[in-house]
Amino acid sequence: MTVSLEQLRRCHFAVDLGAARTRVYVKGAGLVVDQPSAAAVNTRTGALIAVGELAEKMTGRTPSYIRVVRPVSGGTVVDIEMAQRMLRHLIGDKMRRALRRKARLRAAACTPHDADPLAQRATIETLVGLGARRVELVDTLIAAAVGCGLPVEQPEATMIMVCGAAATQVAVLSLGSIVTAERIPVGGEAVDNAIVQHLRHAHELMLPLQSVRPLQIALSDTGLTSQGPSSTEIHGRDVATGLARSVRVDTAAVRDAIQTPLTAVLDAIGKVLRVCPPDLVADLADRGITMVGGSALLPGFDQMLRRATGMPVHIAERPDICAAQGLGAMMEGRIEPLVLNPLAA
């Protein structure tokens, strides 16, 4: 692991800063924040107007002097000051006062696999601004695997795929460490953009990203399989006239548009398996792949992976909060390390 379990047990709160949502776990209180990573700012005065769900609803619906910003991109903090302001409002004054009363406040945070030192430093600076005297960094893959109940500490191969909004991470874990991993910049946002671009080119219809979810829900019964409804009605804005218009969209064409970004995920899985030791691959043939992250709930995604890889594919019970729950489990001391008795000389 990135840090020892003993160090994590001394932490008082943990933060999972994601491109789509921010989650905060407080020791003894559980998950206290699960909100979109968005903030609405008045550009004239610099005042913070809204954060979380309300700021998310304002996207694309504000006057020119109000801007909705996302201080986190791809799991990396790109605006430290705004990330601190957003976290302060999401946590709330009461919880912040309770945390500040802790002697030598310690925090834990998730970082993407192979995050560069600047990205790690940005995460640390963000939490130091909240009053943390020390910040422990945990790889998102390890935290998510612990959160969904995988036997990370055992000498057994477990394969996990973290499907985020901006990136997808695939890894094989054993003995509490990452054996091999791959991170690709393809996530739920890439799927949304593929749908938007398809509707623009095929139907000359402009569709805001917030309206992509209803289209995915329309396919939710059968997802990416061909047994779903043949068409569905979508409302948007005409590219030429700018007027509101409704079109009947062929769901088969939408599925084809989604396949393009998802193919990169299959390539990442193949690359991880090719460099993985054969003994661990043999374990994975029975145990399969565990999917976590908000984008793991994309309808039919697991079925597509199952057909393409021939391996069992499972979705965690609460895939969207696994990383935060994993950090919480390590802080609360619910994870015991594997104890190896040294051999006598």
Side-chain angles (χ1 to χ4, degrees):
M1 292 187 180
T2 310
V3 293
S4 69
L5 288 173
E6 184 61 33
Q7 291 173 314
L8 287 172
R9 288 194 184 107
R10 298 174 185 171
C11 294
H12 302 98
F13 73 102
V15 178
D16 177 19
L17 282 168
R21 299 184 75 87
T22 294
R23 298 174 179 92
V24 179
Y25 189 104
V26 176
K27 192 173 185 178
L31 192 67
V32 298
V33 173
D34 184 4
Q35 294 279 339
S37 304
V41 183
N42 187 326
T43 57
R44 295 174 180 172
T45 63
L48 196 62
I49 298 175
V51 296
E53 296 282 359
L54 183 56
E56 180 87 357
K57 293 178 181 178
M58 291 183 180
T59 304
R61 297 181 172 90
T62 61
S64 59
Y65 64 91
I66 296 178
R67 187 164 57 99
V68 178
V69 298
R70 292 186 175 274
V72 184
S73 177
T76 301
V77 178
V78 294
D79 188 337
I80 296 176
E81 181 184 357
M82 187 55 64
Q84 291 174 350
R85 297 174 67 184
M86 180 186 73
L87 280 171
R88 288 192 193 101
H89 282 77
L90 289 177
I91 294 175
D93 293 337
K94 183 178 179 181
M95 185 61 70
R96 279 196 301 121
R97 284 195 296 267
L99 289 174
R100 283 186 175 274
R101 284 195 290 267
K102 304 287 186 182
R104 292 193 59 82
L105 181 65
R106 289 172 176 251
C110 288
T111 56
H113 179 66
D114 284 343
D116 58 78
L118 286 177
Q120 295 179 359
R121 189 65 188 173
T123 302
I124 292 173
E125 291 291 339
T126 300
L127 297 186
V128 167
L130 293 178
R133 300 289 297 276
R134 183 182 175 91
V135 179
E136 310 290 355
L137 299 181
V138 181
D139 197 301
T140 302
L141 293 164
I142 298 289
V146 172
C148 63
L150 293 178
V152 179
E153 292 294 332
Q154 299 301 316
E156 305 171 359
T158 55
M159 190 170 190
I160 187 167
M161 184 168 71
V162 180
C163 309
T168 298
Q169 305 173 69
V170 185
V172 175
L173 311 175
S174 181
L175 285 173
S177 300
I178 297 174
V179 179
T180 177
E182 188 72 18
R183 181 170 180 259
I184 56 173
V186 175
E189 292 177 354
V191 174
D192 294 346
N193 287 325
I195 295 176
V196 170
Q197 292 302 318
H198 166 73
L199 293 176
R200 184 182 180 93
H201 295 146
H203 301 278
E204 296 184 349
L205 191 74
M206 291 186 67
L207 189 70
L209 289 178
Q210 288 182 329
S211 300
V212 173
R213 296 304 177 189
L215 178 56
Q216 294 182 359
I217 292 173
L219 304 173
S220 61
D221 292 336
T222 50
L224 305 180
T225 62
S226 57
Q227 288 81 24
S230 60
S231 64
T232 184
E233 190 173 3
I234 294 296
H235 308 282
R237 191 181 75 183
D238 190 276
V239 173
T241 65
L243 299 177
R245 183 162 64 92
S246 299
V247 297
R248 179 66 60 172
V249 178
D250 183 12
T251 54
V254 175
R255 285 193 292 270
D256 291 340
I258 293 176
Q259 292 289 346
T260 302
L262 297 185
T263 302
V265 177
L266 295 176
D267 294 339
I269 294 175
K271 187 174 181 179
V272 168
L273 292 175
R274 282 194 297 271
V275 298
C276 187
D279 291 339
L280 296 181
V281 175
D283 291 345
L284 297 175
D286 297 328
R287 188 165 290 118
I289 306 171
T290 301
M291 298 175 63
V292 301
S295 298
L297 298 173
L298 178 67
F301 193 11
D302 57 331
Q303 301 173 32
M304 188 200 75
L305 292 179
R306 198 174 292 116
R307 291 194 306 270
T309 63
M311 298 169 60
V313 179
H314 315 282
I315 301 178
E317 184 176 352
R318 288 292 307 275
D320 50 340
I321 63 172
C322 279
Q325 294 283 23
L327 286 175
M330 289 185 279
M331 284 196 309
E332 304 275 7
R334 296 197 296 267
I335 305 299
E336 293 295 333
L338 179 67
V339 178
L340 299 177
N341 294 323
L343 297 176

